[in-house]
Amino acid sequence: MSFNTALSGLNAAQAELNVTANNIANVATTGFKESRAEFADIFSTTSFGSSGTAIGNGVLLANVAQQFNQGNLEFTSNTLDLAVSGEGFFILSPSETNSNSIFTRNGEMGVDSNGFVVNNAGARLQVFPVNADGTVTATSLSSTIPLQLPQTAGVPTVTSLVDIGVNLPANGNILDPLAFDPLQTSTFNASTSLTVFDSLGESHVVTAYYVKIADNQWATYYNSTDANGATLPLNIADVGPGDTAPVGAGGQTYHTLTFDNSGSFVANVPSVITTTAIDFLNGSDPTQLISFNYANNNATQFSSPFTVNVLDQNGFPIGRLTGVEISDTGVVRANFSNGQTTALGKIALARFQNAQGLGQVGNNSWQDTIDSGAPLVGEALTSSFGQVRSGALEVSNVDLTAQLVNLIAAQRNFQANAKSIETNNTVTQAIINIR
């Protein structure tokens, strides 16, 4: 019996050595959680035996328990390096055909050939679908989707509205609007240009020309160029009877801006400034209309130089992905070359009633079990979930110094149990040698 008792001690010491060696081997593994060997004594007696005089039968390995305490955060320059500061696991989908979720604290992410954000084993990072403003539409585990980075910002957006806020010089010379010529700077007082986009996403430069025609009154012409580079006058459409655009040089219609004696904007004629249909002769939509808004953009007429305070339009070309931003709450936004920003999703997090009950599946990942309980899914910085840190990784929580001490202790335990076997062997040999 004493041989078996000592043998169980050897096995226990060997198990502790194995656990400690595994911890040490993963001291540099991102998101790794150290394990602890937990032992229990073996106690054996009959139902009528005396427990007061019973001797134990040795030791057994009761459990190898992982310790889910937070590891230190190591900051990197990679946006897709992720860490959770606090409670929570990232949710991963092992593959396109495997719907069983796995969970990890390892946020070393990259992008595969299809634009999906994946870990180094190819498992896809799961996010909650979001609205345009980044608010989540559903927060259940079944509603999560793989995070995929788009290559373009979608179809182009045609310019339909231009916001302009200018100061027109009150001391400018009064000119004849019928003499306007965009090639003769002496026929207008000031001009400004901006880029607009047609239905194909092609850019065009539109120039506004300001001609002072009376005190506190200005005529405004608009020109562009067609696909052949020729000047393309943009006519202003009539709103209705009694609200028509004046006809100016070469039969081109224009609109007027009126200011009061204090230089504040009063009105424009027509009351709605919209061009007639524009055909850029490049295959784009020939019915494109552009509206110009001065009233809401603080247009003024002061005795100071011509200045442009507001100049904006609502069109965009096709954009290429230029970068990704991830907020502390896990909202993933894609930035595009056309200036657009799109919310792609919100990183989903999971927690468990008993994290030590999770089943290991390798690659620093776990799956839920009966012991762990079902995953509780939510958003970062809500409930008890932690903060998502982009450009950071959670390093292994292994304390190397403590593990080296454990190695020494396990080695001593092994030697002591081996000595027990040696002593038992000596006693047995002494009995055999009795004559």
Side-chain angles (χ1 to χ4, degrees), residues 155-213:
V155 298
T157 301
V158 65
T159 297
S160 62
L161 176 65
V162 173
D163 287 312
I164 302 183
V166 295
N167 176 71
L168 300 173
N171 55 357
N173 296 326
I174 295 177
L175 304 174
D176 182 2
L178 297 178
F180 167 71
D181 183 350
L183 301 179
Q184 299 293 326
T185 58
S186 61
T187 64
F188 55 90
N189 300 83
S191 66
T192 186
S193 300
L194 82 158
T195 301
V196 299
F197 299 93
D198 61 28
S199 61
L200 300 178
E202 186 172 345
S203 63
H204 306 272
V205 175
V206 171
T207 303
Y209 302 89
Y210 301 96
V211 182
K212 186 176 182 181
I213 59 177

Side-chain angles (χ1 to χ4, degrees), residues 249-262:
Q252 182 180 358
T253 57
Y254 61 91
H255 69 85
T256 61
L257 300 173
T258 304
F259 300 87
D260 62 21
N261 292 332
S262 64

Side-chain angles (χ1 to χ4, degrees), residues 1 19 54 65 68 82 93 108 122 131 148 150 157 216 246 252 269 293-294 297 301 337 356 366 369 371-372 380 422:
M1 176 178 173
V19 170
F68 284 93
L82 303 173
S93 175
E108 290 178 320
N131 298 312
Q148 185 176 25
T157 301
N216 301 329
Q252 182 180 358
V269 177
N293 179 19
Y294 289 86
N297 292 293
Q301 179 199 247
S337 58
Q356 287 190 338
W366 295 268
T369 66
D371 291 335
S372 69
E422 180 182 347

Side-chain angles (χ1 to χ4, degrees), residues 310-352:
V310 178
L311 190 61
D312 196 16
Q313 55 85 39
N314 64 347
F316 295 97
I318 291 178
R320 296 294 175 184
L321 183 67
T322 58
V324 176
E325 295 179 356
I326 302 175
S327 71
D328 290 345
T329 58
V331 177
V332 183
R333 297 184 184 275
N335 299 323
F336 298 92
S337 58
N338 60 4
Q340 292 294 285
T341 299
T342 302
L344 304 179
K346 190 170 188 179
I347 295 174
L349 298 180
R351 60 185 179 87
F352 299 87

